[in-house]
Amino acid sequence: MQTIASDRTDAYARRAAWMRVLALAEPAVLDQAIQALGPLPAHSALRPPESGMAMVRARSGGTGAQFNLGEMSITRCAVTLESGTMGVGYVPGRARRHAEHAAVLDALLQRDEWHDRIQAGVIAPLAQAQAERARHQARVAAQTQVEFFTMVRGED
């Protein structure tokens, strides 16, 4: 039997997953996906799209101590639907329209009447394209991999 805290954690993980897909989407592809949905409910800006900088943190070797890798530009936006549902979007770069689209879709994904339609028509295809792009980049990177080995010279 799951606890309420576990249910919340699952809900946060699902939302984080779709927000990641929206943030990493190509803006033109996301624009086409939104056009395919047809008319969307009216929304208003709680925080209009604005660009700024964020510190990117990393770990040595992926698991070591954290360090400040550098800054990157991001654009954020927060919207509310007429129903009162709030959505947010944080995207890399200075893509104001991309951030607004991500925020609107985030809000709609929280509504039962829109969730399945957007998951099937927008999130799943974008996630599949992103996974294929990652596999392609991994294959390209693997072609440049160098195997180092040590030869024993026979000296005692």
Side-chain angles (χ1 to χ4, degrees):
M1 183 169 164
Q2 287 188 320
T3 64
I4 293 173
S6 176
D7 290 343
R8 280 192 187 143
T9 302
D10 292 344
Y12 292 148
R14 285 190 304 274
R15 186 173 182 204
W18 78 55
M19 290 178 80
R20 181 181 192 282
V21 169
L22 292 170
L24 296 177
E26 295 291 328
V29 175
L30 185 59
D31 206 22
Q32 289 174 348
I34 285 182
Q35 296 298 325
L37 290 174
L40 300 177
H43 67 277
S44 59
L46 291 173
R47 180 183 302 253
E50 58 186 358
S51 297
M53 301 293 282
M55 179 60 68
V56 177
R57 301 204 28 121
R59 292 186 179 273
S60 302
T63 59
Q66 282 192 346
F67 64 95
N68 292 336
L69 180 64
E71 292 181 331
M72 70 177 282
S73 62
I74 63 166
T75 303
R76 68 180 179 180
C77 180
V79 300
T80 184
L81 302 177
E82 288 178 337
S83 64
T85 306
M86 185 181 82
V88 295
Y90 283 79
V91 300
R94 299 181 163 277
R96 297 169 58 91
R97 187 170 173 86
H98 183 184
E100 184 175 1
H101 283 170
V104 170
L105 289 175
D106 175 48
L108 290 173
L109 280 159
Q110 296 174 62
R111 307 287 303 165
D112 291 336
E113 63 271 19
W114 283 91
H115 183 83
D116 292 341
R117 184 173 166 202
I118 294 173
Q119 277 288 347
V122 179
I123 301 300
L126 289 175
Q128 184 177 359
Q130 291 168 6
E132 180 54 40
R133 189 171 38 236
R135 282 191 296 273
H136 174 72
Q137 289 173 342
R139 285 191 303 270
V140 169
Q143 294 173 356
T144 64
Q145 183 175 349
V146 177
E147 296 288 334
F148 291 96
F149 60 93
T150 305
M151 294 180 60
V152 178
R153 295 186 347 186
E155 298 175 3
D156 290 324

